[in-house]
Amino acid sequence: MSERRQTPVRVALLGCGTVGSEVARRLLGDAEELAARVGAPIELTGIAVRRPDKHPELPKELLTADASGLVESDVDVVIELIGGIEPVRGWLLTALRKGKSVVTGNKALLAEYGAELSAAASESGADLYYEAAVAGAIPLLRPLRESLAGDRITRVMGIVNGTTNFILSAMDSTGASYAETLDEATRLGYAEADPSADVDGYDAASKAAILASLAFHTRVTASDVYREGITGISASDIVAAQRLNRTVKLLAICERVAEGPEASESVSVRVHPVMIPRTHQLAGVGGAFNAVYVEAEAAGELMFYGQGAGGAPTASAVLGDLVAAARNRVAGGRGPRESMHAALPVRPMGETPTRYHISLDVADKPGVLAQIAQVFAVHDVSIAAVRQRDKHSTASLVVVTHLARDAALEATVNEISKLDVVREVVSVMRVEGEDS
Ligand SMILES: NC(=O)c1ccc[n+]([C@@H]2O[C@H](COP(=O)([O-])OP(=O)(O)OC[C@H]3O[C@@H](n4cnc5c(N)ncnc54)[C@H](O)[C@@H]3O)[C@@H](O)[C@H]2O)c1
Ligand SMILES: N[C@@H](CCO)C(=O)O
Ligand code: NA
């Protein structure tokens, strides 16, 4: 029989919505098994909810509307699944300063106040775990923070928002509008309380900030991340991608960039829609699934794939963190600290090298291509491929560029859109991956 200490690890749960209710269910239902894994009983001492009378499924004596009081009570670990910045930030700082470990899935808070929370944890010796905050159930932050701590990560790129991936997958396969599928994503528990966080890219940008911070040992906050959401994606963008045997995904891209005369290193962290070849491994990631590529100098390419949203999958990550924090309590130690020593500068989006796909309807007459090519040349943007298809009196022209400064590409598109011979700019989007 394994040895088990009798003093329980006391746990408070804040929030009992999509994720919190799954965590409560598992804590109450699997208590024996969790205790065996931790080496001590896990005692859920209270659950803070907005309206205790609305939770007949939970033991009445555990419910409270006083989250602050629960944080101040005699607990070892606080699990926070409410979301948002205030008042949660204050509660978690209080908990950490008093030496209580914190487990949270709150990416919005971490992407803005990660440094403050981490410092509070370090000072008191408490743990701060947040695997659920990025890519739900997928173990990703622990691999970045621990398994790859001896390697040099060069790039992290992937699909980190289930709601938008669910919407884009449906737009691609059925031609549905994003409004139609957003309701379904909300019903399934993927969407944030305010779905603008998903469709405008804020959620993915918070996750990108967290990923870049851990990957590059550099504190990156949400405001450092260039962000575009999916509300501007039209049916013509989807069709333009399909014509090139590509599909549209909202990607978070975090990479080291060394360019310029001194080749000094910086990091580029961004979230925006991207056209990728349908043969690309990320193209096959559908629904609320997430997938993240990590490229490291010695390890090479790694891919992490799985359920990135939803109550039960996210609860898996939360409980994994709880077991880690509780084991540390039992052993009298603490988990690994974050290392943010590299402090690399964050490169502005305009200076980041990207590639564009531009689809235009142009007049079908001599000299048009030359005029358009001239605008690219003026902005020092090199063209990788041009495809033309005739339609009655106009021609459909598709241009894919080589890598260029994003600002130069944007200026090129602005100038081209003003040419008399350009009837319509049908679609403009960044591209990743090589066509096979
Ligand atoms: N749903 C997911 O798939 C998912 C995945 C990963 C991370 N997360 C993160 O987990 C957190 C919770 O997400 P969710 O989807 O469960 O949200 P949710 O909106 O379903 O649940 C939040 C709950 O907190 C409650 N609450 C609000 N203020 C409170 C207060 N003062 N005291 C007590 N309870 C209060 C709300 O009533 C609600 O029930 C968020 O930070 C979210 O970003 C969610
Ligand atoms: N709203 C988020 C939840 C998971 O973090 C998503 O759709 O991915
Ligand atoms: Na995760």
Side-chain angles (χ1 to χ4, degrees):
M1 223 175 93
S2 65
E3 267 187 41
R4 190 182 298 177
R5 100 178 169 164
Q6 286 313 305
T7 319
V9 176
R10 293 165 60 82
V11 179
L13 173 62
L14 312 183
C16 202
T18 304
V19 185
S21 59
E22 279 297 323
V23 169
R25 194 178 63 75
R26 294 278 312 279
L27 277 176
L28 295 168
D30 298 345
E32 264 306 300
E33 178 65 29
L34 289 169
R37 293 179 194 181
V38 167
I42 298 277
E43 187 188 340
L44 179 59
T45 65
I47 307 174
V49 294
R50 253 198 227 279
R51 297 274 310 269
D53 56 315
K54 296 273 179 192
H55 293 273
E57 76 287 4
L58 292 170
K60 215 172 163 188
E61 64 280 10
L62 292 184
L63 294 168
T64 173
D66 180 13
S68 173
L70 187 55
V71 168
E72 298 274 359
S73 70
D74 176 22
V75 293
D76 302 297
V77 183
V78 173
I79 303 178
E80 183 271 311
L81 293 164
I82 289 177
I85 309 285
E86 299 295 354
V88 170
R89 170 176 162 240
W91 294 337
L92 298 191
L93 282 171
T94 299
L96 290 167
R97 285 174 185 150
K98 293 194 167 175
K100 300 164 203 257
S101 294
V102 165
V103 172
T104 176
N106 192 334
K107 51 261 171 165
L109 178 65
L110 289 158
E112 207 144 328
Y113 293 100
E116 187 184 35
L117 292 164
S118 181
S122 286
E123 274 158 36
S124 72
D127 281 322
L128 172 63
Y129 282 115
Y130 46 91
E131 183 60 71
V134 184
I138 308 171
L140 178 59
L141 303 188
R142 194 168 275 115
L144 288 177
R145 189 156 66 168
E146 299 180 36
S147 322
L148 291 163
D151 208 332
R152 186 171 184 277
I153 295 172
T154 50
R155 196 165 197 238
V156 180
M157 175 174 96
I159 296 165
V160 295
N161 182 269
T163 303
T164 48
N165 198 53
F166 184 82
I167 294 170
L168 291 172
S169 304
M171 285 173 80
D172 185 68
S173 57
T174 67
S177 73
Y178 84 75
E180 286 167 307
T181 41
L182 176 58
D183 288 346
E184 178 71 351
T186 303
R187 194 183 62 74
L188 291 167
Y190 307 149
E192 295 300 303
D194 173 4
S196 144
D198 296 298
V199 296
D200 291 323
Y202 291 100
D203 176 83
S206 294
K207 291 165 175 168
I210 294 169
L211 289 173
S213 297
L214 295 177
F216 306 132
H217 308 280
T218 289
R219 180 69 63 191
V220 176
T221 63
S223 56
D224 294 322
V225 182
Y226 175 82
R227 175 191 53 78
E228 278 176 32
I230 65 160
T231 54
I233 304 283
S234 63
S236 14
D237 290 317
I238 303 285
V239 171
Q242 286 169 344
R243 286 206 176 119
L244 290 175
N245 205 24
R246 286 177 170 258
T247 188
V248 179
K249 293 289 185 191
L250 184 73
L251 297 189
I253 304 173
C254 317
E255 56 194 358
R256 289 182 193 266
V257 186
E259 242 201 1
E262 284 100 48
S264 58
E265 198 165 65
S266 55
V267 295
S268 162
V269 191
R270 53 196 213 262
V271 167
H272 52 72
V274 180
M275 274 187 195
I276 54 172
R278 292 185 104 78
T279 49
H280 195 289
Q281 270 178 298
L282 291 177
V285 177
F289 279 78
N290 284 186
V292 178
Y293 271 106
V294 177
E295 289 169 28
E297 273 183 3
E301 209 170 76
L302 304 162
M303 187 170 174
F304 297 82
Y305 171 79
Q307 295 191 70
T314 307
S316 164
V318 172
L319 285 161
D321 280 353
L322 171 64
V323 168
R327 280 177 175 157
N328 294 342
R329 293 266 147 180
V330 172
R334 59 208 278 199
R337 307 289 90 190
E338 288 176 0
S339 50
M340 296 293 151
H341 57 279
L344 295 169
V346 179
R347 179 173 282 241
M349 185 61 186
E351 297 305 314
T352 296
T354 62
R355 289 161 59 209
Y356 272 31
H357 155 281
I358 303 156
S359 175
L360 307 165
D361 272 352
V362 299
D364 195 3
K365 58 182 190 190
V368 171
L369 202 53
Q371 266 191 64
I372 291 170
Q374 175 63 15
V375 179
F376 280 87
V378 164
H379 290 282
D380 205 17
V381 174
S382 165
I383 294 173
V386 180
R387 192 180 292 181
Q388 182 176 330
R389 249 175 4 120
D390 288 341
K391 299 171 160 185
H392 311 294
S393 61
T394 62
S396 157
L397 195 68
V398 174
V399 181
V400 181
T401 74
H402 282 301
L403 280 175
R405 282 171 51 244
D406 197 80
L409 288 159
E410 199 184 327
T412 306
V413 172
N414 279 341
E415 203 168 314
I416 282 176
S417 67
K418 291 187 194 124
L419 293 177
D420 285 345
V421 293
V422 174
R423 303 279 154 81
E424 192 190 349
V425 178
V426 179
S427 169
V428 177
M429 208 174 288
R430 297 180 184 90
V431 293
E432 286 286 333
E434 299 306 322
D435 293 301
S436 52

